[in-house]
Amino acid sequence: MQTEYLSALNPDDSAAIDRGCELLRAGEVVAFPTETVYGLGADARNAAAIAKVFEAKGRPADNPLIVHVADAEWLRRCSRASGRTAEQAAALAAALLPGPLTLVLPSDPSIPSIARAGLPSVALRIPAHPVALALIERAGPLVAPSANRSGRPSPTTAAHVLDDLAGRIAAVIDGGACAVGIESTVLDLCGDRPVVLRPGAIAPETIAAVLGEPILMRDLMDPAAAPRAPGMKYRHYAPMARVVLLLAAEAPTLPLARGGRIVLTTPRALAAFPGEDVRPLDARTLYAVFREADEIGVDEIVIHAAPHELDAGLMDRIVKAAERMTNDE
Ligand code: TXA
Ligand code: MG
């Protein structure tokens, strides 16, 4: 299959959206930009199209997908939330959506079981990106996991998508680099208390302020805790290089590097590592640096920040990249 490249870099040009919709309606898989990372889209009401997403990514069938919808009305239509859960979802949608927040809610039966990996719940999100919204408004709800091959970092440019999936998907729509750079916050509203299953750009404090109650963070370190987000039992992407996290107020002196090394640090400390390949530490470019490190084959990625300087979403991705343990995948 030849993957079509569709440019949406000029917002006045609707040809990319037109072609993308045409392919999605025909049951094809089309990658598209969101504010977080690129998504691998398929018609959320077409089980055969959804199966192609799992196939193209090499994604295990027991890891459910996020359904992307256009507005709060669609959010209601795709879920069977009632009572407090429905009120909480409506309040969060009014305050924070469109935006990088995914809500896990009791599913409406119209969402095919394959999208939910057989779960009674569905993950729903309204992306804050003009290209994504234009596509969803016209093509209807779209399932979209991150548009990487399983085991690779999420893509934040159309070029990353093509590196992983060229020849395996019908098209990619190029909307430029993603503004957030890490995946959405996933919040489970199905239980007694709201639980953050995956930290992201929307902080738990922000969610707590909207709901007027404390939010639980799922304890990633507690092996007794059942994996509430099914994807959690899978090993996360980690770069080939050793990832070292240095939390220190002052820039530390690094031991001499044997092989190649990339240093990531906050903008104010950029000049503190003379002679090193230093880059600014930023959620927007973190995954691009991981991809580059794998390509050029550095031995080590040193990440430096002051204690408490990193927000929960960025810290989570760095810790996962540093983890070398394998899981039961
Ligand atoms: O920012 C994002 O969320 C991106 C863009 C493309 O929207 N998408 C994304 O999708 O990161 P994916 O498939 O890579 O991650 C979805 C996460 C997984 O951890 C999955 O296990 C969890 O959401 N999830 C999906 N449905 C769920 C459900 N019903 N219950 C609990 N967790 C669920
Ligand atoms: Mg992913």
Side-chain angles (χ1 to χ4, degrees), residues 32-40 57 59 62-68 100-102 104-105 115-117 119-125 127 144-148 154 182-186 188 190 197-198 228-232 236 317:
F32 63 93
T34 81
E35 81 279 33
T36 57
V37 301
Y38 274 71
L40 194 57
K57 270 190 72 106
R59 182 175 176 112
D62 64 352
N63 194 1
L65 307 177
I66 297 173
V67 176
H68 295 62
L101 174 66
T102 295
V104 175
L105 295 166
R116 301 179 263 124
L119 293 173
S121 58
V122 61
L124 296 165
R125 123 170 173 83
S146 50
N148 51 282
S154 294
I182 60 172
E183 305 83 349
S184 61
T185 304
V186 178
D188 185 356
C190 295
L197 301 177
R198 178 176 75 183
R228 297 284 304 282
M232 284 177 173
H236 279 269
R317 301 323 185 269

Side-chain angles (χ1 to χ4, degrees), residues 23-24 27-31 40-42 49-50 52-53 56 168-172:
L23 289 166
L24 288 163
E28 295 297 336
V29 171
V30 175
L40 194 57
I50 299 170
K52 290 185 191 172
V53 170
R168 301 178 67 87
I169 60 174
V172 57

